[in-house]
Amino acid sequence: MMDNLRAAANHVVLKIILAIVAISFVLTGVGNYLIGGGGDYAAKVNGQQISRAQLEQAVQNERNRQQESLGDSFSALAANDGYMLQMRRQVLSQLIDETLLDQYAQTLGLAVSDRQVKEAIFAIPAFRTNNNFDNEKYRSIIASMGLTPDQYAQLMRKQLLTQQLIQGLGGTGFLLPEETNRLLALAIQERQARLATLDINALLAGQTASPEEIQNHYNLNKSTYVQPESFKVSYIALDAASMQAHTTVSEQEIQAYYDQHKDQFTQPGRKRYAIIQSKTDADAQAILAELQKGADFTALAKQRSTDIISAKNGGDIGWMDADGTVDELKQANLTEKGQLSGVITSSVGFLVARLTDIQPEQVKPLAAVHDGVAAKVKQEKAIDAYYALQQKVSDAASNDNESLASAETAAGIKAVQTDWFTRDAVPEALNSDAVKQVLFGGSLLGVNGAPGNNSDVITADGDRAFVLRLAGHQPESTKPLDEVRVQVEQQVKRQKALQQARIDAEKILAALKEGKGDEAMKAAGLSFGEVKTFDSTRQNDRLTQAIFTLPHPQPNASSYGLSDDDQGDIVLVALDKVAPRQLDDQQRGQVVSQLSQGMTGVTFDALLNNLRTEAKIKMGTGAQMQ
């Protein structure tokens, strides 16, 4: 069967593989290969009909998928007729592709048995509960997709057929050993080169910059010399944690809290159970009869219970309060210590239970929870005081909007004033989203950029709060030339030095290529350095990338090129040797695997393209929008 596939793939696909551009399986348009026609069906593919109902169901499934993925955003897309028409075309295109692949698989004799389909469905994690196939979950999920079990099984069969096709194409032997070696030699290689650097900084000393050149450069690059918007802020910081450190509580407050919240310190009544689990009702009835005759519960649980975990503990399953007790044990209504249940039918089998112990409701004494109560009271008092202080400071800041003096008095602390800072360098104390939103939102600015009103209390991170006042503001501006003249002059000189270095390097490069490089290099005071090795898998900078674009050197000669490095200097390159990098077996296997996977994808796309080209595809009226 696979031989048939390999033969067909080699015969049909590989002749055109190098001329094909990979195309998307899911998003292919249908307009360029569908032949128009009538009929109340969506399309006919080599005479096989895709019904209107199939298309409508597939379109609905795609709508549901996009709705789930995009949420509310999909509503806007769905209102666009053009978008919905394109989606319908894409869905129909996918149905046609699936039909073509199904037909091709049949011509190759590929088939998927009912057993294979069943095993594939059983293996899907979404249909499993506790690592077992859950039929109810399976039916519920596929029903939500608008599918019956038969329809879903048919979709699974098509998917398995496609997988067979892909696996077959992956084994076509497209990459022969010689081709693999050639590709590895191209993709994984080392290059040995020598470098000579023209140091730009060394050329700067000989450069001059006239006033006109400085002015022109400044005029053309004003955006480089922008002074960003800057701020100076006064602020009062309130901290809940520091308030808690200065809060005290009395024993009377602790007692009062305990009395009002006793339910928090009450341990509800509990019962301790033991069980013996059986697979059948008959086994459980037999065990119950033995227990009623006086048999030892612990011994029987260890010997006969099918629940491995509780059996090791003689059937004991621990303490349970009313809320934590399973319904089966609640319904057994065991009220006395040592009492046995009847046979209980449960989701895991049949149980016989025993109430082994009872613990009544208990209220912990204050002495046992004193420190915890004290901490709770202290925390609540501090929080109350914190919010009361916030309100007090807020009132003072809003009643006196000319300064923070009244707010300082209310807070009992002095305001802090920052130095000048920009939006990108906010002081650490104020670097929170809530504070920056107010600070940069414009509400603190007055007329003509002067300080405006105080802020309201700004809560940051839950336990900190601030009141802000703008102490100074400088809008974004272009720095005057006099302020940046030295910087501009240096840039002009550097550009001229770079231009000179590139001209000199081009002349030297021409001489090197003509075989006169020694004299040119000596005249420029340059020489090539020691041989360096560069790896094709680590082309992380411009210089290395340039080295791997140079042509291979001729025997006993070098190939020359020009580049710049990360420091901005001009670099002459002498490429001496190109050689495949040696890979160990594991590295070679990984690279070959990646190459093979890539070729499988291209081959599959080419196969699909070829099937479309040779197919007779006719559009029906069912393909049109409703």
Side-chain angles (χ1 to χ4, degrees):
M1 186 180 299
M2 286 296 102
D3 291 339
N4 292 340
L5 175 56
R6 294 189 181 99
N10 283 314
H11 176 70
V12 178
V13 177
L14 300 187
K15 291 181 179 179
I16 61 169
I17 187 71
L18 296 178
I20 297 297
V21 177
I23 46 181
S24 169
F25 173 42
V26 176
L27 298 181
T28 304
V30 298
N32 60 338
Y33 63 88
L34 293 182
I35 306 170
D40 190 23
Y41 52 82
K44 282 186 179 180
V45 182
N46 294 323
Q48 182 176 338
Q49 182 172 296
I50 298 175
S51 69
R52 178 195 293 270
Q54 284 179 273
L55 175 60
E56 298 303 334
Q57 182 62 63
V59 169
Q60 186 59 47
N61 289 343
E62 178 62 14
R63 285 179 62 100
N64 293 341
R65 185 192 68 78
Q66 292 194 24
Q67 177 70 56
E68 183 176 352
S69 174
L70 302 176
D72 294 339
S73 301
F74 180 68
S75 298
L77 294 174
N80 186 314
D81 291 341
Y83 179 83
M84 297 308 294
L85 177 59
Q86 180 63 20
M87 184 183 79
R88 187 179 183 86
R89 287 174 175 169
Q90 291 170 354
V91 170
L92 180 56
S93 174
Q94 184 172 354
L95 290 175
I96 291 171
D97 288 342
E98 290 173 355
T99 303
L100 288 169
L101 289 172
D102 187 43
Q103 292 172 351
Y104 183 61
Q106 291 179 26
T107 65
L108 297 176
L110 302 182
V112 176
S113 68
D114 291 344
R115 180 178 178 182
Q116 287 175 297
V117 173
K118 184 177 181 180
E119 289 176 350
I121 292 175
F122 280 8
I124 295 175
F127 299 153
R128 302 178 71 84
T129 300
N130 297 328
N131 208 31
N132 292 314
F133 180 75
D134 188 328
N135 191 56
E136 291 185 6
K137 181 183 289 187
Y138 161 66
R139 289 181 174 274
S140 174
I141 291 175
I142 66 172
S144 68
M145 298 165 60
L147 298 173
T148 66
D150 287 344
Q151 290 171 332
Y152 186 80
Q154 187 62 24
L155 290 176
M156 180 60 66
R157 190 184 305 277
K158 289 183 178 181
Q159 181 179 339
L160 293 175
L161 275 173
T162 302
Q163 289 176 359
Q164 281 193 23
L165 278 171
I166 293 174
Q167 291 166 1
L169 291 175
T172 57
F174 183 78
L175 286 177
L176 299 175
E178 295 81 2
E179 292 173 304
T180 299
N181 292 334
R182 179 175 58 82
L183 288 173
L184 286 176
L186 289 172
I188 312 295
Q189 62 177 230
E190 292 177 338
R191 294 194 166 197
Q192 294 181 354
R194 293 168 291 130
L195 309 177
T197 301
L198 285 76
D199 188 349
I200 302 302
N201 291 327
L203 297 174
L204 280 174
Q207 305 299 325
T208 61
S210 68
E212 292 78 10
E213 289 173 323
I214 293 174
Q215 184 68 57
N216 289 337
H217 180 89
Y218 173 78
N219 291 341
L220 292 172
N221 298 276
K222 283 187 176 181
S223 61
T224 307
Y225 308 107
V226 169
Q227 174 67 47
E229 182 183 23
S230 56
F231 304 82
K232 185 182 285 188
V233 173
S234 295
Y235 67 90
I236 297 172
L238 307 177
D239 187 349
S242 64
M243 296 194 70
Q244 187 169 341
H246 297 90
T247 300
T248 59
V249 295
S250 66
E251 289 299 321
Q252 290 81 1
E253 290 172 319
I254 295 172
Q255 182 68 55
Y257 185 93
Y258 174 80
D259 292 339
Q260 293 169 12
H261 300 88
K262 279 191 176 180
D263 58 311
Q264 297 181 11
F265 313 109
T266 299
Q267 179 176 297
R270 302 188 300 169
K271 293 180 180 180
R272 189 164 191 162
Y273 295 94
I275 64 166
I276 301 176
Q277 181 176 306
S278 302
K279 291 183 178 180
T280 67
D281 179 65
D283 289 343
Q285 293 290 354
I287 290 171
L288 178 59
E290 292 183 49
L291 291 171
Q292 290 172 339
K293 292 177 181 179
D296 183 80
F297 192 100
T298 300
L300 271 181
K302 290 181 177 180
Q303 296 168 5
R304 309 264 293 273
S305 181
T306 58
D307 179 40
I308 299 174
I309 297 176
S310 64
K312 291 180 180 179
N313 300 317
D316 181 53
I317 58 174
W319 290 99
M320 298 180 185
D321 60 22
D323 292 335
T325 303
V326 297
D327 290 339
E328 290 91 338
L329 292 178
K330 286 182 179 178
Q331 293 167 8
N333 197 28
L334 302 179
T335 58
E336 297 181 9
K337 186 175 179 179
Q339 183 180 358
L340 287 173
S341 72
V343 173
I344 303 170
T345 302
S346 75
S347 59
V348 295
F350 298 89
L351 309 176
V352 176
R354 182 183 67 174
L355 179 58
T356 57
D357 203 353
I358 300 174
Q359 189 176 80
E361 179 180 279
Q362 295 179 342
V363 179
K364 295 179 181 178
L366 176 58
V369 295
H370 180 277
D371 292 345
V373 174
K376 184 69 173 177
V377 173
K378 185 175 183 180
Q379 180 185 36
E380 291 190 358
K381 283 187 67 177
I383 290 174
D384 290 343
Y386 174 61
Y387 286 119
L389 180 62
Q390 278 192 33
Q391 187 61 52
K392 184 179 177 182
V393 172
S394 176
D395 292 341
S398 60
N399 291 333
D400 178 10
N401 255 317
E402 299 300 319
S403 71
L404 288 179
S406 297
E408 288 176 325
T409 301
I413 55 176
K414 282 289 185 182
V416 177
Q417 182 165 297
T418 69
D419 293 328
W420 287 102
F421 63 90
T422 65
R423 291 174 181 262
D424 297 329
V426 178
E428 184 177 356
L430 301 177
N431 195 13
S432 75
D433 291 340
V435 172
K436 289 189 290 187
Q437 184 176 358
V438 174
L439 180 58
F440 302 135
S443 62
L444 302 184
L445 278 173
V447 179
N448 297 324
N453 295 330
N454 300 329
S455 76
D456 198 354
V457 172
I458 307 165
T459 300
D461 305 326
D463 58 355
R464 294 186 302 143
F466 298 87
V467 174
L468 307 181
R469 180 173 182 81
L470 198 63
H473 175 258
Q474 294 176 346
E476 180 181 278
S477 61
T478 301
K479 297 177 182 178
L481 176 58
D482 288 344
E483 185 178 331
V484 294
R485 183 175 297 276
V486 173
Q487 182 181 351
V488 175
E489 182 180 5
Q490 191 71 8
Q491 285 298 316
V492 172
K493 290 181 177 180
R494 182 170 184 83
Q495 285 184 359
K496 295 174 76 171
L498 182 62
Q499 184 178 12
Q500 177 188 329
R502 188 167 292 279
I503 292 172
D504 293 344
E506 292 285 359
K507 291 179 179 179
I508 297 172
L509 178 61
L512 287 167
K513 291 181 177 180
E514 293 173 359
K516 303 175 182 178
D518 290 343
E519 295 179 6
M521 293 281 287
K522 185 176 180 180
L526 294 174
S527 62
F528 285 111
E530 297 294 325
V531 174
K532 294 184 178 181
T533 300
F534 297 86
D535 191 330
S536 62
T537 63
R538 297 171 184 167
Q539 300 183 42
N540 301 323
D541 57 76
R542 289 176 293 183
L543 176 59
T544 305
Q545 292 169 2
I547 289 172
F548 279 91
T549 63
L550 294 178
H552 287 218
Q554 298 297 319
N556 301 318
S558 298
S559 177
Y560 297 101
L562 192 62
S563 179
D564 55 352
D565 60 19
D566 289 342
Q567 287 72 45
D569 294 324
I570 305 300
V571 182
L572 287 161
V573 179
L575 176 61
D576 298 329
K577 184 179 180 181
V578 177
R581 183 160 70 83
Q582 297 301 312
L583 302 174
D584 59 34
D585 291 342
Q586 181 179 1
Q587 292 172 329
R588 180 183 175 87
Q590 290 173 344
V591 175
V592 171
S593 175
Q594 292 173 357
L595 289 173
S596 297
Q597 290 174 10
M599 295 313 299
T600 298
V602 173
T603 304
F604 182 79
D605 286 336
L607 168 63
L608 191 55
N609 185 73
N610 191 67
L611 292 175
R612 293 190 193 110
T613 302
E614 296 185 353
K616 293 181 180 180
I617 302 173
K618 185 177 182 180
M619 284 285 283
T621 58
Q624 300 172 6
M625 289 279 284
Q626 299 298 305

